[in-house]
Every structure is written in structure tokens, then in C-alpha cells.
């Protein structure tokens, strides 16, 4: 059994997940391991220990807990999506400076405006099914969220994992994918309560009403999460300014300017060279020689 938890759900005789307190005690539970399908015993009669299933053979299956979590996540999230009027997704959206890819200055990761966008999926989608094949690759997703009324609307595929994340080819197949790491039943409950909230780069301070410890490890793939329309972004940069005059005299000093507003400061100068470095030591002789 997985060391992170006890087996609290199992498969009944018709292959449905059942909770430990919903079945008879001992072998009368007629339940099976979600992973190896071996007969289980329900240990749910006492008051001192946490109720759980154990393998009748006495040797617990290594993948039992992981498989249980995976199947439970699919079932409970599907039920929540279909039953709730609001099922949110939230992720960071960045609007970059239009010149961020061609800017001549060294950037420090702050040439964008970051906001956290949240959407109610139920406003766009009404259906959720398990183990449905992707549109673009010959693989199945854990869940597929789609619109039965608007088939042209691109579906969203959900992937759950406990220890092994999806391979790159699956995540970059061109579709919209949400991948979620689950390590306990609490992680599943958080998704049921709060929806899918990105955790890879979002700032928890942007998440109104959701504590940072209640965010599962969730990543979004194939979603539009950025643009290059933040025209008002500007940063102050430090540099060394070298000025050469017609008399042959020159000077070099440290200066600052907004990145989009660098210009000559001495109209009578022959030329001015700006070296993007906050330290002027050695710059004067180097530029003078050039």
C-alpha cells in the first residue's frame, strides 16, 4: 500500500468505488483492490483505528493507494462539475510590453503586468466524461469537459497524477489541458470546493478568498495566458553615458533613464554612447579608444 495513506475506497462487485463505511465488515464487504483487483477485507468495525481496507492475502498492493486516489479524483470531480452551478478555473495572465522580445536592454522579469483571471466553466460547458480520447492524439484523458450545445467550442482535458506527471507529447498536443497533482483525499476535496486554481507561478495574494495552503499543484497547458499589449510599461535603467564634444573633450558618468526615453542630453555634442552597465569604471577609456 502507498505509504502516504490508507485505502479508504475500493471497488465493489460491479466495479464501482465504495467508501469503507458503506460496506459490511470483513470479507463480507465483497470488495476488490482498485489496482491489482485482489480480494479485500473491510476493517471498519472498531473505534480506535482509522477504518480502511486491507488485502485478504495480508500483503498490501504497492499501487493501491495511488490508484484509489486517481479513480476517486475522476469520480468526485466529475460529479462536482455536473452538480454545481459554479465550477471555477483560475490562472495567472501576463500582459507584456510590446517590445519585450526585441528590447536592447537586459530585462529583470518585470516587463509585464500580472493579473489573476478566474472563469466559471459552467458558463461555457455542460458535460464531463471519463476516459475520453483526445481529439489530436491517440490517448485518453482522465476527464473531458465539453459543451453538448456548442460542439465547436474547444474542450478541456483534465489529467490527474500522484507520482508520474504526463509526458511532454501529451501536454503539448495543441489542446487545452489542466494537469493536477493529488497526494491525498484533501487535495481532491479542494478541487471540488474551489475548482482548478493554477499554482505553478501565480501569487497566492491574488487569489481572493482562497488560502495559499488550499491550492493544489495545478498547471494549465494550451490556454491563452499572455498578450503583448501593455504599451504603458516602462522601466528605469542604469547606464554609463559617454559624451564627445567638437572640441575633442569628452566626459563619462553614470546616468538613469526610462527605457523608452533615452536621448542625447547635450545638443552640442558630436555623439553620445550609452553603455548598459550601472558601473562606469573602465568604460571611459574603453569608449574613448573605440
Amino acid at each position: 500500500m502507498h505509504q502516504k495513506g490508507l485505502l479508504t475506497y475500493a471497488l465493489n462487485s460491479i466495479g464501482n468505488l465504495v467508501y469503507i463505511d458503506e460496506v459490511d465488515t470483513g470479507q463480507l464487504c465483497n470488495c476488490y483492490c482498485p489496482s491489482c483487483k485482489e480480494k479485500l477485507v473491510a476493517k471498519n468495525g472498531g473505534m480506535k483505528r482509522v477504518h480502511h481496507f486491507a488485502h485478504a492475502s495480508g500483503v498490501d498492493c504497492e499501487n493501491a493507494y495511488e490508484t484509489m486516489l486517481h479513480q476517486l479524483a475522476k469520480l468526485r470531480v466529475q460529479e462536482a462539475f455536473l452538480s454545481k452551478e459554479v465550477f471555477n478555473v483560475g490562472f495567472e495572465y501576463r500582459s507584456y510590453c510590446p517590445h519585450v522580445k526585441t528590447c536592447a536592454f537586459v530585462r529583470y522579469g518585470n516587463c509585464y503586468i500580472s493579473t489573476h483571471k478566474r472563469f466559471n466553466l459552467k458558463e461555457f460547458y455542460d458535460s464531463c466524461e471519463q476516459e475520453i480520447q483526445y481529439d489530436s492524439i491517440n490517448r485518453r484523458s482522465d476527464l473531458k469537459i465539453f459543451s453538448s450545445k456548442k460542439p465547436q467550442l474547444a474542450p478541456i482535458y483534465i489529467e490527474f497524477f500522484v507520482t508520474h506527471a504526463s509526458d511532454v507529447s501529451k501536454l503539448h498536443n495543441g489542446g487545452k489541458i489542466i494537469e493536477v497533482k493529488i497526494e491525498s483525499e484533501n487535495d481532491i476535496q479542494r478541487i471540488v470546493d474551489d475548482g482548478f486554481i493554477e499554482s505553478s507561478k501565480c501569487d497566492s495574494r491574488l487569489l481572493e478568498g482562497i488560502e495559499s495552503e488550499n491550492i493544489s499543484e495545478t498547471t494549465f497547458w494550451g490556454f491563452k495566458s499572455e498578450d503583448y499589449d501593455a504599451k504603458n510599461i516602462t522601466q528605469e535603467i542604469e547606464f554609463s553615458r559617454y559624451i564627445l564634444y567638437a572640441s575633442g573633450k569628452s566626459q563619462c558618468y553614470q546616468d538613469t533613464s526610462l527605457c523608452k526615453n533615452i536621448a542625447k542630453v547635450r545638443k552640442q555634442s558630436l555623439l553620445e554612447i550609452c553603455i548598459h552597465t550601472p558601473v562606469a569604471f573602465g568604460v571611459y577609456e574603453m569608449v574613448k579608444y573605440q
Side-chain angles (χ1 to χ4, degrees):
M1 184 180 296
H2 198 288
Q3 63 179 1
K4 292 186 178 179
L6 296 171
L7 198 63
T8 53
Y9 285 83
L11 299 177
N12 62 14
S13 58
I14 59 174
N16 294 329
L17 275 180
V18 290
Y19 184 56
I20 181 65
D21 289 335
E22 298 173 345
V23 300
D24 294 328
T25 303
Q27 295 192 26
L28 294 177
C29 68
N30 196 24
C31 291
Y32 302 86
C33 173
S35 180
C36 68
K37 306 301 187 291
E38 183 183 320
K39 187 78 174 179
L40 298 177
V41 176
K43 297 186 175 183
N44 58 0
M47 300 293 292
K48 294 183 179 180
R49 298 187 61 189
V50 176
H51 293 181
H52 65 281
F53 291 99
H55 286 66
S57 65
V59 180
D60 290 334
C61 172
E62 180 181 356
N63 297 319
Y65 184 68
E66 179 174 344
T67 304
M68 180 203 77
L69 281 181
H70 195 261
Q71 294 189 15
L72 185 62
K74 291 189 291 184
L75 177 64
R76 294 206 58 207
V77 173
Q78 179 189 33
E79 291 176 346
F81 178 84
L82 294 176
S83 63
K84 297 176 70 173
E85 294 184 0
V86 176
F87 198 94
N88 286 320
V89 295
F91 54 88
E92 182 187 23
Y93 191 91
R94 292 182 176 183
S95 186
Y96 289 88
C97 170
H99 307 291
V100 69
K101 292 184 177 181
T102 58
C103 181
F105 304 106
V106 177
R107 298 179 297 278
Y108 300 95
N110 53 359
C111 293
Y112 62 85
I113 298 172
S114 177
T115 58
H116 191 268
K117 292 195 174 184
R118 184 183 298 185
F119 304 94
N120 177 14
L121 288 180
K122 295 302 292 285
E123 293 182 3
F124 309 95
Y125 301 95
D126 59 8
S127 303
C128 181
E129 295 183 2
Q130 295 186 32
E131 297 295 328
I132 303 298
Q133 183 171 312
Y134 283 89
D135 291 338
S136 55
I137 58 175
N138 187 26
R139 298 192 185 184
R140 292 183 178 275
S141 61
D142 290 330
L143 294 176
K144 178 181 179 180
I145 296 175
F146 61 98
S147 173
S148 62
K149 300 177 181 179
K150 299 179 180 179
Q152 74 278 8
L153 187 63
I156 297 175
Y157 299 98
I158 311 299
E159 295 288 349
F160 300 107
F161 78 96
V162 181
T163 56
H164 303 290
S166 300
D167 58 69
V168 175
S169 61
K170 178 184 284 190
L171 296 175
H172 293 278
N173 71 73
K176 294 182 177 180
I177 301 174
I178 302 175
E179 185 182 58
V180 187
K181 182 176 182 179
I182 50 175
E183 296 181 309
S184 68
E185 293 178 46
N186 289 335
D187 290 337
I188 299 173
Q189 186 61 46
R190 288 166 188 151
I191 300 170
V192 170
D193 293 339
D194 300 325
F196 298 112
I197 307 299
E198 181 185 40
S199 59
S200 59
K201 60 184 178 180
C202 67
D203 188 336
S204 61
R205 293 171 297 179
L206 300 173
L207 307 181
E208 181 179 354
I210 300 179
E211 298 296 331
S212 59
E213 60 267 23
N214 290 334
I215 304 172
S216 302
E217 185 175 324
T218 305
T219 53
F220 287 68
W221 304 83
F223 287 75
K224 178 177 172 56
S225 60
E226 63 184 30
D227 63 46
Y228 295 87
D229 298 330
K231 299 178 180 179
N232 294 328
I233 287 183
T234 185
Q235 302 293 338
E236 184 177 75
I237 59 172
E238 296 177 302
F239 57 92
S240 295
R241 184 187 295 272
Y242 175 87
I243 304 175
L244 176 64
Y245 298 96
S247 63
K249 293 183 179 181
S250 61
Q251 66 178 133
C252 186
Y253 59 92
Q254 292 176 259
D255 200 357
T256 61
S257 173
L258 295 180
C259 59
K260 297 176 182 177
N261 298 328
I262 292 183
K264 289 180 67 175
V265 294
R266 301 289 188 268
K267 293 183 179 180
Q268 69 274 25
S269 65
L270 288 179
L271 65 86
E272 297 185 14
I273 299 177
C274 297
I275 308 298
H276 189 205
T277 172
V279 181
F281 179 76
V283 171
Y284 178 80
E285 293 297 331
M286 179 189 71
V287 177
K288 184 178 180 181
Y289 174 80
Q290 293 294 333

